[in-house]
Amino acid sequence: MEAPETWRVLEFYSGIGGMRYSLMASGARAEVVEAFDINDVANDVYEHNFGHRPCQGNIQTLTASDLDKYKAHAWLLSPPCQPYTRQGLQKHSADARAFSFIKILDLMQNMSHPPQMLFVENVVGFEVSDTHDQLLKVLSSLNFDTREFILSPLQFGVPYSRPRYFCLAKREPMRFQNASVSKKLILTPMCLSQTMNNTSQDRDHQNEKELELVCKPVKDFLVQEADGGIRNETLSQDYIVPLNLIERWGNAMDIVYPESKRCCCFTKSYYRYVKGTGSLLATSENLKLVPEEKLEISSLKELDLRFFTPREVANFHSFPSSFGFPDHISLRQQYAMLGNSLSVAVVGPLLRYLFAEA
């Protein structure tokens, strides 16, 4: 297939725009001709940042002819992850939240103009699900060549532990660069190095502890007053961790410092809960780093713990500085939307690899 002047792209489960920002970061000659998401709050944020409101409705109501009319070359999809999470019921394709993605796979097989490229993002665990099996079966039946990855922002120099599954697919006769790469699950960015600027070969086989050493420090991702950021007095009111939460959950908190080279994945429940939802930042200027073993509650109270702000979470997702929320989006909604988003630092290079000509 001869590459068009501009690739036409459909964006499913568009959320707050992480996939679109990644497409922009990839440098691909591509335009999003339509986006789809059922969440009106996410669509408000998307429209605020891109000037286009995604098509709001249930994807399960779409038909093959509905999608054919776009004549899109590529589909980008980040379907709901709840059916595949370790904390969930792991019902996989039997979970109602998986139905829309399965419907999309069915539609692909009945289209006059099916996509030539496909990109799918989901949580680690998707790769062992029956939905994953259905995805590969459909792609094989349509003569797609696939590449599958599990990658984390840590592998791209971002101090953020958020491993995710990715499937990239090109329909024959299109081919991937580095065609010699095995079709087995790829756990390093090695084969992306020809299409990336910052991934070095020596990172490809390092474990998470070793990766932390080459990551930027957390302080590089914090909002500064000079950036028009949040004033200290606002921080003290809205983001300081209450003492009652420290007393109850202190030993279950993940605490990081400005000099740290890692923080935990922020979930959609961050700020509502402190256990297992993301890291908290120690801001006291009078204390040195405290060892990671369980701390006394009295010591924790002296760390001046605070939540990372939404802008800072967006920074860990590598969203551009231009990204913002409409004024009517509440703080909890901002965290929830960010927790469901993806890493531009990872997805951008993957999309560059997908759109690159072999």
Side-chain angles (χ1 to χ4, degrees), residues 167-213:
C167 177
L168 286 64
K170 286 189 174 187
R171 196 173 188 186
E172 297 178 354
M174 298 179 71
R175 289 285 186 271
F176 283 100
Q177 292 184 349
N178 303 329
S180 62
V181 174
S182 167
K183 288 190 177 181
K184 293 181 180 179
L185 194 62
I186 303 168
L187 303 179
T188 77
M190 179 173 60
C191 70
L192 306 181
S193 58
Q194 293 182 8
T195 60
M196 293 171 55
N197 297 321
N198 300 318
T199 299
S200 58
Q201 294 287 339
D202 60 2
R203 292 185 195 175
D204 291 336
H205 299 286
Q206 292 175 317
N207 61 36
E208 187 165 300
K209 281 292 184 184
E210 292 171 323
L211 285 167
E212 290 176 21
L213 299 177

